[in-house]
Amino acid sequence: MSRLIAAALCLTAALGATGVSAKAPKTVPAKTIVVEMRDSGPEGAMVFVPAFVKANPGDTVRFVPTSPVHNAELIPTMLPAGVTPSKGAMGKSFDLVVTTPGIYGIKCAPHYSMGMVAVVQAGDGPSANLAAARAANLPPFAKKRMVGYLAKAR
């Protein structure tokens, strides 16, 4: 019995000395975050709810219309470097799979001038493209809402 205990102690010491751990590293599973595209909401007419989302690379942000008059598309001047602009069809859900840390600007094309915009911040920040996102040229009401959303970003 003492030989068995001695062998167990030697094995434990050897594993500890080589840096091998019995515990696997913790990973955060990717999640799906749902954003509704609404005719009205807490901020008034033509809104995304929520309009500011924090996500991690690997997460999916699903934009779901509550009526057939909305779409979601990426604003080309408000994307992390290397991210290709894409858009969803009218009245259909659009999945944004977050691949790169940074700020992602979103708009509903038919209601863009009415301020229907949103922001996805991927990662904890600081976001490399935050200054560029703040400087983006947007329609006046969209800019007004966007300033508030970007104030929450890092």
Side-chain angles (χ1 to χ4, degrees), residues 25-118:
K26 289 186 178 182
T27 58
V28 177
K31 61 184 175 182
T32 299
I33 302 162
V34 176
V35 174
E36 291 183 344
M37 298 180 268
R38 295 186 185 173
D39 294 340
S40 65
E43 293 183 71
M46 305 305 166
V47 292
F48 290 94
V49 178
F52 178 78
V53 172
K54 288 194 81 164
N56 291 307
D59 289 348
T60 298
V61 182
R62 178 167 295 144
F63 295 88
V64 179
T66 59
S67 71
V69 298
H70 301 296
N71 83 323
E73 58 186 78
L74 301 178
I75 301 171
T77 57
M78 296 182 70
L79 297 175
V83 174
T84 303
S86 59
K87 63 181 178 178
M90 291 296 299
K92 304 287 184 188
S93 292
F94 171 70
D95 284 352
L96 167 61
V97 179
V98 177
T99 57
T100 305
I103 300 297
Y104 293 72
I106 314 295
K107 68 179 180 179
C108 170
H111 303 111
Y112 185 37
S113 65
M114 296 175 72
M116 193 165 179
V117 292

